[in-house]
Amino acid sequence: VLLIVFIVIASILSPNFLTIGNVLNLLQQASIPGIVAIGMTLVIIISGIDLSVGSVAAFAGMISAILVSKNIPIIIAVLAGVVLGAALGLITGILIAKFGLPDFIASLAMMEIARGAALLTTQVFGLSSDFKFIGGGFIGKVSVSGIIWIILTVFFALLLKYTSFGRSLFAIGGNREAATLSGIKTTRNYAITYVLCAALAAFAGVLTASWLATGQPTAGDGM
């Protein structure tokens, strides 16, 4: 309802707001934080929080940008960024699920670690046009990143609604002890959730580097 209200107000204030071109532009602008939000949704469902997503995005973006600048195949560069980002999420998830650290503290620590790791690198400019297509390219008039966002949103919506893993997240968030007693592998699912959140944040960071054709260690600051 609020979204509809804002759209109506914006359309009244600016006749150019509700045009195909602007809607497609908004789709591209919103795709990167939208992909991060998918992962954060999973974490929030289990009553957690992950403060490290912006730093993980920057770290993964820098890794991919550096590899692309050294003429490593794009698919390997992208996968390397996502996998390393997911590894950081695994560490956070284990600290929370296995060792009982508060999610706020564990993810705050990872936020500083990932940002520090990103800042140890330097900006990378002039990345290839092929790499730029992933985050800044278009199929027709629709941005590639927007299409990816829509596909990921549908996939995770179906995962949450129709899989045992997705339904278990709601049970864990409602009452973790009861979920454990009912046979749900809460520790494993907790860790998986943080891995997914970090992997999506990392992929968003790779898309950012691709869109800007630049690796920036300060990307995602405040996200």
Side-chain angles (χ1 to χ4, degrees):
V1 173
L2 284 173
L3 177 60
I4 293 171
V5 170
F6 288 137
I7 289 173
V8 170
I9 293 172
S11 302
I12 293 171
L13 294 175
S14 173
N16 295 321
F17 178 80
L18 204 59
T19 60
I20 295 297
N22 191 51
V23 169
L24 293 176
N25 179 54
L26 287 172
L27 178 65
Q28 184 179 32
Q29 297 279 350
S31 60
I32 290 171
I35 290 170
V36 176
I38 295 172
M40 190 63 74
T41 297
L42 305 180
V43 172
I44 290 173
I45 286 172
I46 61 172
S47 296
I49 194 68
D50 189 348
L51 303 178
S52 68
V53 288
S55 299
V56 170
F59 173 73
M62 288 305 303
I63 294 296
S64 294
I66 290 169
L67 292 177
V68 169
S69 71
K70 296 184 180 299
N71 298 317
I72 302 296
I74 292 173
I75 184 65
I76 295 176
V78 171
L79 287 174
V82 173
V83 169
L84 287 174
L88 298 182
L90 178 61
I91 295 171
T92 304
I94 290 174
L95 289 174
I96 297 167
K98 192 74 174 176
F99 295 100
L101 266 68
D103 47 12
F104 187 94
I105 299 301
S107 62
L108 179 65
M110 184 56 70
M111 178 181 76
E112 298 297 340
I113 292 168
R115 182 66 66 185
L119 289 169
L120 285 173
T121 63
T122 185
Q123 286 187 321
V124 182
F125 297 96
L127 301 177
S128 68
S129 57
D130 290 339
F131 180 64
K132 185 174 174 59
F133 178 76
I134 305 170
F138 291 84
I139 297 177
K141 293 185 177 181
V142 183
S143 65
V144 174
S145 60
I147 294 171
I148 293 172
W149 177 31
I150 292 170
I151 292 171
L152 287 173
T153 300
V154 172
F155 173 80
F156 278 96
L158 294 175
L159 181 141
L160 284 172
K161 188 169 185 179
Y162 294 110
T163 69
S164 58
F165 171 74
R167 292 193 297 271
S168 74
L169 300 188
F170 290 96
I172 294 169
N175 189 320
R176 183 175 178 180
E177 184 178 354
T180 302
L181 293 174
S182 66
I184 294 173
K185 298 183 183 301
T186 53
T187 300
R188 183 195 67 181
N189 288 359
Y190 235 85
I192 291 173
T193 302
Y194 277 88
V195 169
L196 289 173
C197 182
L200 287 163
F203 184 53
V206 173
L207 289 179
T208 301
S210 168
W211 185 12
L212 301 176
T214 305
Q216 295 184 343
T218 57
D221 189 27
M223 184 178 287

